[in-house]
Amino acid sequence: MDESFAPPAAFQAQARVSGIAAYQKLYAEALAHPEAFWGDLARRQLDWLQPFTRVLDWDSPHAQWFADGKINACYNCVDRHLAGWRRNKAAILWEGENFEQRILTYQELHRKVAKFANALKKLGYRAGDRAIIYLPMIPEAAIAMLACARIGLIHSVVFAGFSAEALKTRIDDLEATLVITADAGRRRGREILLKRNVDAALADCPGVRRCIVYQHLGAGIEMKPERDLWWNDLMFGSSEVCPAEALPSEHPLYVLYTSGTTGKPKGVVHTTAGYLLQSQMSMQWVFDLREEDIYWCTADIGWVTGHSYIIYGPLAAGATTLMYEGAPDWPEPDRFWRIIEKYRVNLFYTSPTAIRSFIRQGDSWPQKHDLSSLRLLGSVGEPINPAAWKWYHETIGGGRCPIVDTWWQTETGSILIAPLPGAVAAKPGSATLPLPGIVPDVVDAAGQPVPAGQQGFLILRQPWPSMFRTLYRDDERFRENYWARFPGAYFTGDAARRDADGYYWVLGRVDDVINVSGHRLSTMEVESAMVRHPAVAEAAAVGRPHELKGQALVVFATVKGHVQRSPELAEELRGWVGQEIGGFARPDEIRLVEALPKTRSGKIMRRLLRELVTSARVAGDTTTLEDYAVILQLSQQGKEEEELLQKSE
Ligand code: WTA
């Protein structure tokens, strides 16, 4: 039997959804009458600029939610909170790496957003135009996103850790005409020169008319006359009066690029009303948000978690959301605990990778701080191993805070599987039960549900409001990637099992996506970067289990005829991939080999390589392998592997 933790009695007594029966009732209601369920919530929870009459138009795989209504995401995140006392509530608490502090109330946030939106209008930008946001974790990122939403510009936030090359790919795919950036951002005491990357990217992007630059650190940068404008200059001359535009529910709110199974990133398209509804509802259902809470999600706004759970979800719910610009271990490993103590954080949402690194640093760091304000803890991005779960529960939560292990994806827009903390007992390592309105299943390769306890593919059988609507300018890939494998259902790309209690245990990706520290990397993207290097002939990237990061990235590569294999070259290539994609994609290990194992038809057998780095031994089916000697040779490279081979001989 898996260990189970019932909701703490004190928590349950005050919870929005209290007790398992209340959860079951909600779930049953949504299952029986999904349109009535979502329609009712949408009317009560969102402010409409024109009411809708239709809830769902479902022409699989295309959904439209609340299609004939008009709404504005920025209005729902900001304006509607100004009517009462909430206008003086802190919307955003910001802390910089050097302990700088800024607090924006809802009213002040409104003022800044309206001014910035007006400035964009004055520059000629209109609903439907695309803007790239390439900013550090500062309030201006939120202001830029909300200002775009206010006038219907479709934004695409590019994580500030991405390289100029990755930035350019996204600008091109999106046909963006505007870039919003800063001079630089800060990380572990170093300045990351964002504007310099933008300049490199824009050298070859004639479609971008304007680049707006926020002066954050005062780093020396070049401004290109005609194209580049200072944020502050624009704000200075801009009016505060800027009504939120009434946009159709299905107006795209943003495109967020994520890794897929090819080298080209996928532009996941989210639209307005459904996305907003579900990200806001999960603030209530999963985080059990209360008016007075201080809520902190440690993600970066460059990832979907930052979109849904730093900006749109919390602000739509009228929460106080904390943003921290720097590294978790800066200047010392207790920075997160310091922040929790300083701001009296109540709800804390982070990743298993972060938790595992805290464990490694030792209990003395959290023990130095008063963490008694914490009421609930969350985890996202990858499976959390039970040992890390328990440490989080005891050492950070003092044994009194429920933990919500939240399963979702860039594509799903909001949390879909997670315990309602006052209702559902947790089992460490399981994301537990689906939220109301979500109908998952675990199936075999033929699409048949597998019995309890068995592993299969995780699918979703019913559309949900915050689902992505398509891939930007690639509807065919949308259909093929997600909807073709199990007709009528959405394929998540994850493996899972469901236990006898109906709990879901998500096991990880089954496609060519590697999850490194909760960041999705496509093997193809890494391989394409490798072969762009003049020394490399072929490359194959695989994941290997890693104690801290969940998975580590290992790349096998062959070199061109005239090139010598050497440890120096391997090191150079690690740096190269880091430059081509971004530092977070730097491989943990590069193995330069004589040949890669291939099938008779010439396909690289990644499965064998994966097995090799995972177990240092190759079993499984090798009948399609062209040259078994290649695998033996590869295995002989590592010491442990050699021993294993000898044993099996
Ligand atoms: C994985 C991040 C297990 C999963 C929100 C999914 C998880 C991918 C969990 C999406 C969890 C996310 N337990 N696995 N609680 N949360 N994943 O798009 O493999 O960056 O498909 O979205 O992360 O990653 P993405």
Side-chain angles (χ1 to χ4, degrees):
M1 261 288 276
D2 295 302
E3 217 176 332
S4 160
F5 291 76
F11 190 98
Q12 181 169 338
Q14 310 222 7
R16 283 172 183 271
V17 182
S18 179
I20 189 72
Y23 159 76
Q24 283 163 344
K25 183 164 170 278
L26 259 184
Y27 191 83
E29 256 175 53
L31 191 65
H33 308 288
E35 294 203 26
F37 180 81
W38 290 119
D40 182 50
L41 282 179
R43 269 183 284 269
R44 283 193 289 125
Q45 300 281 342
L46 298 176
D47 280 33
W48 293 87
L49 300 173
Q50 178 187 300
F52 61 90
T53 61
R54 302 205 309 270
V55 174
L56 171 64
D57 296 285
W58 179 226
D59 178 12
S60 176
H62 294 117
Q64 296 194 53
W65 286 88
F66 321 113
D68 60 349
K70 292 211 169 138
I71 193 161
N72 186 286
C74 180
Y75 183 90
N76 275 272
C77 288
V78 186
D79 302 50
R80 67 166 162 168
H81 304 311
L82 302 184
W85 65 270
R86 254 192 206 159
R87 76 179 205 277
N88 288 326
K89 178 175 177 174
I92 297 176
L93 299 174
W94 177 80
E95 172 144 320
E97 199 172 67
N98 289 349
F99 301 91
E100 312 93 316
Q101 199 175 337
R102 286 170 66 190
I103 298 176
L104 292 181
T105 62
Y106 273 97
Q107 183 165 287
E108 184 57 11
L109 180 62
H110 177 264
R111 206 174 68 82
K112 288 194 151 62
V113 168
K115 281 170 79 102
F116 194 64
N118 261 333
L120 296 179
K121 276 208 272 195
K122 234 198 208 153
L123 293 172
Y125 290 106
R126 295 285 174 268
D129 291 346
R130 273 90 53 212
I132 292 277
I133 297 177
Y134 186 62
L135 282 169
M137 282 287 291
I138 53 178
E140 281 62 31
I143 294 166
M145 289 161 81
L146 292 165
C148 286
R150 193 168 189 83
I151 57 173
L153 289 195
I154 303 165
H155 66 67
S156 185
V157 180
V158 176
F159 173 53
F162 271 118
S163 65
E165 182 64 34
L167 177 63
K168 180 180 160 12
T169 311
R170 286 155 178 77
I171 294 173
D172 284 343
D173 190 71
L174 199 65
E175 295 175 320
T177 51
L178 170 66
V179 173
I180 305 169
T181 190
D183 54 347
R186 214 191 302 270
R187 190 81 181 171
R188 291 205 172 81
R190 284 189 310 127
E191 286 185 355
I192 316 286
L193 298 175
L194 298 175
K195 175 62 162 57
R196 188 189 284 177
N197 284 347
V198 171
D199 287 341
L202 291 189
D204 197 18
C205 291
V208 174
R209 285 198 287 122
R210 296 288 189 179
C211 173
I212 301 174
V213 186
Y214 180 74
Q215 173 121 348
H216 178 43
L217 299 182
I221 59 168
E222 273 176 41
M223 293 292 276
K224 193 172 163 189
E226 310 283 294
R227 187 194 70 194
D228 298 349
L229 297 159
W230 289 110
W231 173 295
N232 279 351
D233 291 348
L234 286 176
M235 290 292 264
F236 188 71
S238 185
S239 153
E240 286 175 26
V241 183
C242 179
E245 279 185 37
L247 298 163
S249 293
E250 287 294 335
H251 184 76
L253 178 61
Y254 66 82
V255 176
L256 186 59
Y257 286 88
T258 187
S259 295
T261 48
T262 72
K264 189 170 169 270
K266 302 185 279 197
V268 169
V269 177
H270 281 292
T271 61
T272 306
Y275 172 79
L276 206 59
L277 175 64
Q278 234 177 320
S279 44
Q280 184 192 330
M281 285 318 299
S282 48
M283 290 305 298
Q284 303 179 9
W285 284 333
V286 181
F287 295 106
D288 197 52
L289 178 75
R290 288 204 223 145
E291 192 67 74
E292 65 276 19
D293 279 334
I294 308 280
Y295 161 86
W296 183 22
C297 164
T298 68
D300 191 283
I301 37 116
W303 312 112
V304 75
T305 307
H307 285 61
S308 303
Y309 295 108
I310 297 178
I311 311 291
Y312 290 111
L315 295 178
T320 296
T321 178
L322 196 150
M323 260 176 119
Y324 166 56
E325 184 187 355
D329 54 356
W330 189 267
E332 289 192 296
D334 62 346
R335 187 59 185 274
F336 276 12
W337 321 129
R338 250 184 208 237
I339 292 177
I340 289 174
E341 179 172 23
K342 175 173 173 185
Y343 294 92
R344 305 278 188 269
V345 170
N346 306 108
L347 314 174
F348 178 61
Y349 192 28
T350 195
S351 70
T353 290
I355 296 165
R356 287 190 293 263
S357 70
F358 298 141
I359 296 175
R360 180 176 279 193
Q361 285 149 0
D363 293 4
S364 63
W365 295 106
Q367 277 162 3
K368 279 207 262 184
H369 297 278
D370 176 5
L371 304 180
S372 62
S373 59
L374 289 172
R375 202 161 68 74
L376 173 140
L377 304 172
S379 163
V380 60
E382 35 176 331
I384 178 166
N385 46 310
W389 193 102
K390 284 184 197 157
W391 181 88
Y392 197 26
H393 186 248
E394 273 312 307
T395 311
I396 304 307
R400 76 183 175 277
C401 303
I403 294 181
V404 289
D405 175 357
T406 62
W407 177 88
W408 60 295
Q409 309 177 298
T410 305
E411 292 86 343
T412 70
S414 66
I415 298 168
L416 300 193
I417 305 178
L420 270 55
V424 175
K427 296 185 192 181
S430 168
T432 76
L433 301 175
L435 296 193
I438 304 306
V439 188
D441 205 350
V442 180
V443 299
D444 62 18
Q448 293 306 310
V450 301
Q454 271 182 32
Q455 183 175 332
F457 301 104
L458 181 64
I459 64 167
L460 299 163
R461 293 206 179 274
Q462 297 291 333
W464 62 101
S466 69
M467 68 198 285
F468 68 140
R469 300 302 196 254
T470 185
L471 293 176
Y472 192 71
R473 292 196 309 166
D474 204 349
D475 197 56
E476 182 144 331
R477 193 174 174 195
F478 169 72
R479 288 170 180 275
E480 261 173 34
N481 246 248
Y482 300 100
W483 301 91
R485 181 132 182 207
F486 303 106
Y490 167 76
F491 176 43
T492 62
D494 278 340
R497 70 189 160 80
R498 189 171 38 197
D499 69 18
D501 298 327
Y503 276 47
Y504 288 82
W505 300 73
V506 177
L507 304 165
R509 307 286 308 187
V510 291
D511 50 12
D512 290 328
V513 173
I514 307 176
N515 193 330
V516 178
S517 303
H519 296 156
R520 272 164 71 166
L521 278 177
S522 113
T523 51
M524 276 293 295
E525 216 173 332
V526 174
E527 291 161 9
S528 321
M530 282 288 289
V531 299
R532 283 199 292 271
H533 189 282
V536 175
E538 281 186 305
V542 293
R544 129 164 87 73
H546 187 277
E547 203 189 323
L548 222 54
K549 306 202 254 187
Q551 280 189 297
L553 176 62
V554 183
V555 187
F556 291 84
T558 59
V559 293
K560 290 189 180 151
H562 60 283
V563 180
Q564 278 289 326
R565 289 183 275 153
S566 69
E568 292 74 35
L569 177 60
E571 196 47 37
E572 181 187 327
L573 289 169
R574 288 182 65 224
W576 170 266
V577 175
Q579 284 225 317
E580 288 286 295
I581 303 176
F584 66 95
R586 176 197 287 265
D588 294 89
E589 192 187 330
I590 290 189
R591 296 198 196 175
L592 297 175
V593 296
E594 213 160 280
L596 293 172
K598 289 188 186 160
T599 61
R600 285 173 216 287
S601 62
K603 238 180 121 198
I604 297 173
M605 299 187 78
R606 287 188 187 71
R607 181 178 57 76
L608 291 184
L609 295 173
R610 212 175 296 134
E611 253 180 80
L612 187 74
V613 295
T614 305
S615 63
R617 185 169 68 89
V618 178
D621 178 20
T622 53
T623 48
T624 50
L625 185 61
E626 190 198 10
D627 185 1
Y628 191 70
V630 168
I631 271 293
L632 290 179
Q633 224 169 39
L634 292 176
S635 329
Q636 270 156 0
Q637 291 194 333
K639 230 185 178 171
E640 293 168 49
E641 297 158 13
E642 232 164 40
E643 280 168 23
L644 268 162
L645 268 171
Q646 277 163 6
K647 271 186 216 154
S648 62
E649 264 163 17

